[in-house]
Amino acid sequence: MLSNPYAASLAFVSVAVLALIVFLFFFEFVTRYDCWKEIRKGNMAVAMATGGKIFGICNIFRFSIEATDSVYQSMIWATFGFLLLLAAYFLFEFLTPVFRIDEEIERDNRAVGFIAMIISVSLSYVIGATVV
């Protein structure tokens, strides 16, 4: 079935979208604020940080799809990449002892939201480059 390029494309995109929803749930679980509630209120810092996470997860998927031949392998690599991205999120929070990242983003500190977005996007390229 995956020898058909249309079926393969549909399979990869379907798996990536489902995994994106699951991975975003985990990010939502570890943040101290409700992402979608804050976005609904117009909190741009949360929107930028969440957008960076979405881009980062999808970018890791892009690399994993390019590097592997099967949906299964790509999912394994994308999951590994997501775990690295999640670890980087905790490291970012830990290495910024001057203030709490989540609290600043919840307060709509756009500078912190922007940095969080750039970190997610940038690290997704580094993580993606390690996919074999």
Side-chain angles (χ1 to χ4, degrees), residues 26-44:
F26 282 111
F27 264 126
E28 177 85 16
F29 186 72
V30 299
T31 56
R32 293 189 168 95
Y33 51 85
D34 183 339
C35 292
W36 302 109
K37 180 180 171 187
E38 289 296 319
I39 290 170
R40 199 174 310 116
K41 290 185 339 187
N43 186 326
M44 281 300 295

Side-chain angles (χ1 to χ4, degrees), residues 10 12 21 35 48 54 66 76 83 97 106 125 131:
L10 182 62
F12 280 111
I21 292 167
C35 292
M48 287 188 286
I54 292 168
E66 285 180 344
I76 289 172
L83 293 174
E106 187 175 16
Y125 279 98
V131 173

Side-chain angles (χ1 to χ4, degrees), residues 43-46 48-49 99-116:
N43 186 326
M44 281 300 295
V46 171
M48 287 188 286
F99 54 84
R100 308 276 311 155
I101 301 299
D102 280 351
E103 289 173 8
E104 292 299 317
I105 290 174
E106 187 175 16
R107 285 191 204 119
D108 201 14
N109 183 333
R110 294 175 187 179
V112 176
F114 181 74
I115 291 297

